């Protein structure tokens, strides 16, 4: 069975790996017009943080299952001999909020607990609810390469190609899994997907090796995510903005906010700025439809619109898209008997 996976961000590559590993007889080609550093996925903070309140329109139980499936994948990878090559590693750190945590994190991450008043004073944390936990942070450039290598190892192909319509694939492929992120607006005419612009400042600060996330009541999210060579400072959230040029005023604001939480960032040299557009859709689209073109039908399974949690939910949603494909392939082969 010839299967095309459209998209080479974290969602497309994870889906292709899962299909190759779980759908017998699948001959997989990944096609995309952008790869590695050209994608949104490559520059993201890579923090596995199932902040499920950031996603609307999906039942909480489904979100939690996607997060737990992804957690099992990322945590076992970080604990394995492939940790360095895949860019995954355990990092401990702090979550500071004005409101209490909703009870999801403690089921999903490691060593989750609330800090005592005395600990908060020692650390000079000002917010009302402060927690400490251990999670995985993934260096996305390495991880995308690791996923692509796994696809090729399992006999999959990777092709640079820009599609104008999924119907171009009719008659050549029997199924397509559509993981095109923000490209869905043009590729399948989905007006429900939009960009939420995010900007990061990358600094050199090897002495900062814990993560910090602060969420205020008015929705401002500030974070410090250490990677092996740089520390990512964020964040910003501009709905509908698509300018990929870094805004230096916003960068100054990010630096000011992060230094308030982590004064140890004083003296950290700026290495780079990065801007990405979160592909945001309510709800995340995981569903199937049949398209007709070139006189043939093609099964389409959509998997896009992960917004602020694309890395966190990537493996769990890839498993669901794979399951839909597997069930369809099975019923198709039964009906041919
Ligand atoms: C500043 C910032 C920080 C972030 N930090 C985190 C974090 O810490 N944790 C987390 O979980 N998430 C984070 N995210 C969110 C995460 O980056 C995204 O949700 C995720 O990268 C989306 O992945 P994707 O594969 O759907 O899309 P993309 O990476 O955008 O990939 C889309 C792919 O589809 C292809 N495509 C599109 N249209 C076509 C077409 N017509 N023909 C061929 N190919 C096509 C593109 O070429 C590309 O390969 C962050 C985002 C930003 C902006």
């Amino acid at each position: 069975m010839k299967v095309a996976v459209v998209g080479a961000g974290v969602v497309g590559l994870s889906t292709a790996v899962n299909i190759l590993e779980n759908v017998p007889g699948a001959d997989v080609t990944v096609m995309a017009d952008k790869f590695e550093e050209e994608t949104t996925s490559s520059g993201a903070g890579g923090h596995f943080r199932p902040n499920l309140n950031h996603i609307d329109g999906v039942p909480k139980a489904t979100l939690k299952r996607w997060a737990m499936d992804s957690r099992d994948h990322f945590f076992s990878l970080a604990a394995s001999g492939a940790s360095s090559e895949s860019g995954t590693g355990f990092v401990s750190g702090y979550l500071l909020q004005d409101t209490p945590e909703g009870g999801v994190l403690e089921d999903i991450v490691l060593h989750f607990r609330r800090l005592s008043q005395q600990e908060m004073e020692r650390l000079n944390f000002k917010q009302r609810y402060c927690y400490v936990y251990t999670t995985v942070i993934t260096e996305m450039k390495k991880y995308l390469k690791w996923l692509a290598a796994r696809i090729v190892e399992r006999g999959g192909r990777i092709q640079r190609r820009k599609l104008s319509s999924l119907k171009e694939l009719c008659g050549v492929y029997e199924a397509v899994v559509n993981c095109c992120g923000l490209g869905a607006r043009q590729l399948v005419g989905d007006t429900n997907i939009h960009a939420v612009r995010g900007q990061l400042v990358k600094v050199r600060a090897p002495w900062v090796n814990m993560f910090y996330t602060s969420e205020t009541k008015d929705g401002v999210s500030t974070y410090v995510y250490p990677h092996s060579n740089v520390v990512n400072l964020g964040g910003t959230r501009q709905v509908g903005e698509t300018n990929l040029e870094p805004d230096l005023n916003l960068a100054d604001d990010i630096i000011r906010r992060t230094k308030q939480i982590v004064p140890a960032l004083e003296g950290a040299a700026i290495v780079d700025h990065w801007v990405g557009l979160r592909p945001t859709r309510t709800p995340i689209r995981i569903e199937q439809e049949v398209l007709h073109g070139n006189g043939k039908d093609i099964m389409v399974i959509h998997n896009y619109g992960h917004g602020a949690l694309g890395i966190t939910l990537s493996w769990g949603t890839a498993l669901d898209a794979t399951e839909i494909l597997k069930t369809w392939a099975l019923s198709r082969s039964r009906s041919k008997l």
Side-chain angles (χ1 to χ4, degrees):
M1 177 181 56
K2 290 187 77 176
V3 181
V5 175
V6 179
V10 68
V11 175
L13 297 183
S14 307
T15 304
V17 169
N18 272 289
I19 294 171
L20 285 160
E21 291 182 350
N22 296 303
V23 183
D27 173 1
V28 176
T29 302
V30 175
M31 53 188 72
D33 62 336
K34 293 182 185 150
F35 287 89
E36 299 189 359
E37 295 185 17
E38 301 158 338
T39 66
T40 304
S41 300
S42 77
H47 187 187
F48 180 83
R49 183 183 168 216
N51 186 349
L52 307 185
N53 298 332
H54 284 200
I55 303 284
D56 292 323
V58 179
K60 285 286 175 264
T62 306
L63 279 177
K64 194 168 174 184
R65 179 170 55 76
W66 288 341
M68 286 175 122
D69 285 340
S70 299
R71 181 269 319 269
D72 291 347
H73 164 71
F74 282 113
F75 283 34
S76 62
L77 198 51
S80 78
S83 164
S84 162
E85 195 193 337
S86 63
T88 52
F90 291 103
V91 182
S92 298
Y94 302 106
L95 169 64
L96 322 174
Q97 300 190 150
D98 291 342
T99 52
E101 177 54 31
V104 173
L105 271 177
E106 67 185 305
D107 291 345
I108 301 184
V109 295
L110 293 169
H111 318 131
F112 181 89
R113 73 171 174 86
R114 189 171 171 190
L115 293 185
S116 68
Q117 197 57 42
Q118 196 182 42
E119 287 172 313
M120 283 163 59
E121 280 161 19
R122 271 189 213 133
L123 292 160
N124 206 19
F125 291 156
K126 302 280 186 251
Q127 277 173 272
R128 181 143 182 226
Y129 297 91
C130 300
Y131 305 90
V132 60
Y133 65 92
T134 302
T135 189
V136 165
I137 291 187
T138 301
E139 301 198 8
M140 293 306 297
K141 288 186 179 65
K142 284 188 183 174
Y143 183 60
L144 293 179
K145 277 194 173 44
W146 181 83
L147 288 171
R150 228 165 134 183
I151 290 166
V152 173
E153 247 169 56
R154 282 157 181 70
R157 280 176 289 271
I158 298 184
Q159 190 182 94
R160 191 180 283 269
R161 172 172 175 183
K162 183 169 174 73
L163 292 166
S164 303
S165 161
L166 292 179
K167 289 186 181 174
E168 290 170 30
L169 305 173
C170 292
V172 185
Y173 293 89
E174 283 134 296
V176 51
V177 189
N178 176 26
C179 310
C180 67
L182 213 48
R185 187 169 273 269
Q186 168 263 318
L187 187 60
V188 293
D190 187 345
T191 51
N192 199 3
I193 186 131
H194 63 275
V196 176
R197 183 184 184 276
Q199 183 166 326
L200 298 177
V201 182
K202 294 176 184 269
V203 299
R204 185 97 58 221
W207 57 91
V208 175
N209 46 28
M210 295 184 84
F211 74 79
Y212 299 78
T213 308
S214 155
E215 303 265 353
T216 62
K217 284 201 287 290
D218 43 11
V220 180
S221 178
T222 303
Y223 51 80
V224 174
Y225 295 157
H227 284 191
S228 54
N229 294 323
V230 292
V231 180
N232 283 294
L233 312 181
T236 60
R237 204 178 167 280
Q238 293 172 286
V239 178
E241 280 289 328
T242 54
N243 186 353
L244 289 172
E245 284 303 308
D247 174 334
L248 296 182
N249 291 326
L250 272 184
D252 284 347
D253 187 54
I254 291 171
I255 292 165
R256 181 190 59 75
R257 281 187 278 133
T258 49
K259 274 189 193 164
Q260 265 172 8
I261 300 163
V262 189
L265 284 166
E266 193 62 51
I270 296 176
V271 176
D272 206 356
H273 298 271
W274 183 77
V275 176
L277 306 179
R278 302 176 182 95
T280 305
R281 186 183 191 275
T282 303
I284 294 175
R285 189 174 190 195
I286 302 198
E287 62 184 358
Q288 64 192 85
E289 65 173 326
V290 176
L291 279 188
H292 191 76
N294 304 328
K296 298 266 187 196
D297 283 343
I298 191 166
M299 167 55 68
V300 180
I301 297 151
H302 298 285
N303 182 12
Y304 64 83
H306 296 59
L309 295 188
I311 288 95
T312 303
L313 301 178
S314 57
W315 201 258
T317 52
L319 281 172
D320 269 22
T322 301
E323 198 51 42
I324 297 174
L325 178 70
K326 197 172 165 183
T327 307
W328 170 77
L330 209 65
S331 69
R332 182 170 156 269
S333 59
R334 282 207 189 107
S335 67
K336 279 187 180 164
L337 289 176

